[in-house]
Amino acid sequence: MSTKNILLTIVTVIALAAVIYTLTKADDPEVYIEKIEKEREKQFKFLRFNPESPLDAEQKNNLGALSFYPIDPAFKVRARLVPAEDRKVITIPMTDGSEEKYIKHSYAEFDLKGAPQRLLLLQGMNEIDKRNFFLAFADSTSGLDTYGGGRYLNLRQDGKNSVSIDFNLAYNPYCAYNPDFACPLPPRENLMELGILAGEKDYKKE
């Protein structure tokens, strides 16, 4: 075998090993849990220290931790993207009675806990990257363990016709912490009968 072929073989083996390593690490439960924990820590630090936080000074001083469901990989799903037939600008009601416009973009279809789900994905009117979506949803935990006005997820299309949805990253809108903020309410398509026992729980002011 020539030196050139030997080098090419070595490069190929290294590249293949790197791909396998990456895929293995991505499926590693410990790596996954660490990733979610880091995101939650970032959220806490934003609320506790960032000037743009919805918390007032007293709330920031009293914020010891946020409340979350235990991390459960079963609440991470791969959804099929189905373009909305009547893609148009729609009006979403806000918590203060006002309204905000969004683009009715696509539906995310997937199975969760053995039940088929179909959620509407919205897109901001000024969104530049058309792969980014906004998901506002409510479920059977809303008003009990979680905020009554629903929770949010920021999604990014990561396949030609698919998107990953990880409910472990579900977070509260600003109005859950401070009623002076106005937040979009989940559209009727996103009122889930299933209980999403994942993500952030309701905020309790101390």
Side-chain angles (χ1 to χ4, degrees):
M1 182 180 291
S2 67
T3 303
K4 180 179 180 180
N5 288 338
I6 292 174
L7 290 175
L8 182 59
T9 301
I10 293 174
V11 170
T12 302
V13 170
I14 293 174
L16 181 60
V19 170
I20 293 174
Y21 175 79
T22 300
L23 293 176
T24 302
K25 295 294 285 184
D27 294 334
D28 187 329
E30 292 185 3
V31 173
Y32 172 71
I33 290 174
E34 183 180 351
K35 174 187 174 183
I36 300 299
E37 289 177 341
K38 285 182 178 179
E39 290 299 319
R40 292 179 173 183
E41 180 65 18
K42 285 169 56 178
Q43 183 181 356
F44 170 79
K45 289 181 177 179
F46 171 82
L47 291 169
R48 178 70 173 81
F49 302 108
N50 197 295
E52 301 299 321
S53 167
L55 301 183
D56 59 32
E58 180 182 359
Q59 288 176 294
K60 288 182 177 180
N61 289 333
N62 293 332
L63 185 65
L66 298 176
S67 181
F68 296 94
Y69 285 104
I71 298 171
D72 186 350
F75 282 98
K76 180 180 180 181
V77 299
R78 188 78 171 171
R80 184 166 67 99
L81 276 179
V82 180
E85 293 182 1
D86 56 341
R87 185 176 293 181
K88 60 183 180 181
V89 175
I90 60 174
T91 299
I92 298 295
M94 308 286 281
T95 51
D96 65 350
S98 62
E99 297 177 333
E100 193 167 279
K101 294 186 182 300
Y102 286 87
I103 298 172
K104 181 180 180 180
H105 191 279
S106 302
Y107 289 93
E109 297 182 346
F110 57 95
D111 289 333
L112 184 59
K113 299 292 184 178
Q117 307 294 328
R118 191 172 193 260
L119 301 179
L120 176 62
L121 303 185
L122 303 174
Q123 204 162 67
M125 295 293 292
N126 298 320
E127 178 60 64
I128 297 175
D129 192 333
K130 302 307 179 184
R131 294 171 295 177
N132 292 336
F133 305 111
F134 171 59
L135 172 60
F137 71 94
D139 63 279
S140 64
T141 71
S142 302
L144 298 174
D145 290 339
T146 62
Y147 178 58
R151 292 178 288 167
Y152 298 163
L153 279 167
N154 299 320
L155 305 179
R156 181 174 177 81
Q157 183 176 348
D158 52 5
K160 183 177 180 180
N161 298 299
S162 61
V163 62
S164 296
I165 302 177
D166 193 341
F167 289 101
N168 290 287
L169 296 174
Y171 64 92
N172 288 332
Y174 279 7
C175 49
Y177 309 105
N178 188 337
D180 290 339
F181 285 84
C183 307
L185 292 169
R188 66 179 182 277
E189 293 95 332
N190 295 352
L191 304 181
M192 307 176 70
E193 295 182 3
L194 184 70
I196 302 298
L197 307 179
E200 188 175 4
K201 293 185 177 182
D202 201 2
Y203 166 73
K204 304 296 184 182
K205 185 174 182 179
E206 299 179 1

